Amino acid sequence: MRALISLTDKTDVAKLAKSLQELGYEIISTGGTYKEIEKSGVNVIDISKVTNFPEILQGRVKTLSPYVHGGILYKRDNEEHKKTVEELNIQPIDIVVVNLYDFQNALKTGDHDNIVENIDIGGPTLIRSAAKNYKDVLVVTDPSDYDELIDRLKNDNVDITYREKLAMKAFSLTAYYDSVISRYFQEQVGERSKYRTFGFKKEDELRYGENSHQSANLYIDPFVNGKLTDCEVIHGKAMSFNNYNDLNVAVELADELGANSCVALKHQSPCGVAIADSVSEAYHKAYLADSTSIFGGIIAINGVVDEKCAEEMSQIFLEIIAAKDFDEKALEILTKKKNIRLVKIKFDNDSVKEDIKYLNGKVLIQDKDFGVDEYNVVTDEKPSDEDKKDLEFAMKVVKFTKSNAIVLAKDSHTLGIGGGQTSRIWALENIANNHPDVDFTGCVLASDAFFPFSDCVEFAHKLGVKAIIQPGGSIKDQDSIDKCNEYGISMVFTKNRHFKH
């Protein structure tokens, strides 16, 4: 009986090799793994003694030999196969223990030649050969499986179910590995292939999904270095499916708004948003924008939470506070709340470039909404510089609000957010209905899509709106423009729609 061991991650390799040797297996190995096993005192055969050929091309070719793959792939119950390997003096290999070059880590270097050199060829080939012939060969790709392997071998408990499980893990690893390589080369050439593969690595098992009867897991995408890639939960309960889902929207909006912005969010929808000279002032304004909905919601701060900000935050129940960091006094205050989740975000990380929606038998992939809006004044009245600042702020917020969406804002903070409506006028009316005590006089309005009728302008006028920003593009644009001119409201067309579903 023989086992081939060739590893990049050499965790517990000496222990594994010793255990296999005690069970009667001859150990074959390559390169650095050979040296590691030999150093441990285990008898080990160099791969070149099996292939009858030295490693060549600086290690690029080691195991690509019929003396290796013939020993792995031949079917033990096939007489023709048995005859062939006997005639060619090919010895069986019964266990293959392999993991792969660290291509994912090589990506971080940005050095193309180094990245290419870290594309493993022999490793995936060994894994696929062994996994294909799983009925006769055990393939192990994860160091966490070593103990179970040895235990099953000792107790003669290697059944077909176990073999299939190892094969599943093996093929999953090579598929994952190739997906990262594929995505790298698509980035290199600036073109998307006909075949798209996305490899994700499990990071955590969540208590449940969107609802308690749904199972859920958290995976990491190795190819991107996104805002949540290295997010760190420094206090509180474990994050849930809904926590991560909501946090993503809040962080993306806070990132787009920039320094000292605060986003309060509930069920995927912003409820209060502000930018100010300090994070404490931004939070205070976001809280006042909707002090009802913020309860039990999450907060994203593009900045460092200080003592003053933390003191005000501690007055209500919040699920999550995410920020660049928390100063010592802020942590002292907030960690008194046992269950609140405090999360550190690396806002300097990249933003993901694509949005993926998994449908029932189809997959939609689109570019993220990074379109640059135009700023075309279409009315007699021109927005002031302050109006322009508020209009651009409101448009950024409405972009992250479920369609149909309307945002009213003034002095870089929202006064009301209406989203998720099947009629645009209802989104605006909901703001007024939900905030009956707010004076909207002098505010601006942003809409994620064009006005099909002039009714939104009519209602905006009643509220005291002074400027509107919207994409334009309706066949009845002129009706809205005429109403704005009649009421002395300025209006800007951006040409970019910002639906969010």
Side-chain angles (χ1 to χ4, degrees), residues 49-63:
K49 303 295 185 185
V50 176
T51 62
N52 300 313
F53 208 87
E55 292 184 15
I56 62 171
L57 307 179
Q58 297 176 306
R60 280 191 166 200
V61 179
K62 302 176 190 175
T63 59

Side-chain angles (χ1 to χ4, degrees), residues 227-228 246-265 270 272-276 279 282 286 298-304 321-324 345-349 351 393 396-397 399-400:
K227 309 298 178 189
L228 300 189
D246 285 346
L247 179 62
N248 186 62
V249 179
V251 166
E252 286 189 337
L253 176 51
D255 178 62
E256 182 143 338
L257 292 172
N260 291 339
S261 61
C262 174
V263 177
L265 182 138
V273 183
I275 306 174
V279 294
I298 73 171
I299 301 294
I301 296 278
N302 194 337
V304 179
I321 301 172
K324 275 189 174 181
I345 300 292
K346 291 185 178 179
F347 279 96
D348 292 334
N349 280 8
S351 292
F393 165 79
K396 288 178 180 178
V397 177
K399 188 167 87 169
F400 286 85

Side-chain angles (χ1 to χ4, degrees), residues 477-494:
D477 274 347
Q478 194 59 48
D479 292 352
S480 294
I481 294 170
D482 291 342
K483 278 297 175 185
C484 283
N485 286 334
E486 180 182 338
Y487 296 132
I489 298 172
S490 60
M491 185 156 66
V492 173
F493 282 0
T494 65

Side-chain angles (χ1 to χ4, degrees), residues 439-463:
D439 181 4
F440 295 106
T441 303
C443 75
V444 305
L445 180 154
S447 174
D448 65 336
F450 63 63
F451 293 157
F453 309 104
S454 61
D455 52 355
C456 282
V457 177
E458 292 273 9
F459 200 88
H461 170 63
K462 293 176 183 176
L463 294 177

Side-chain angles (χ1 to χ4, degrees), residues 249-318:
V249 179
V251 166
E252 286 189 337
L253 176 51
D255 178 62
E256 182 143 338
L257 292 172
N260 291 339
S261 61
C262 174
V263 177
L265 182 138
K266 193 93 161 280
H267 295 299
Q268 291 277 288
S269 294
C271 53
V273 183
I275 306 174
D277 293 331
S278 67
V279 294
S280 58
E281 184 185 356
Y283 171 75
H284 183 69
K285 288 183 174 181
Y287 169 78
L288 292 178
D290 190 342
S291 58
T292 300
S293 298
I294 198 174
F295 184 85
I298 73 171
I299 301 294
I301 296 278
N302 194 337
V304 179
V305 176
D306 57 20
E307 180 181 10
K308 184 178 179 183
C309 187
E311 194 66 61
E312 187 171 357
M313 287 176 169
S314 69
Q315 302 305 307
I316 65 168
F317 168 62
L318 296 169

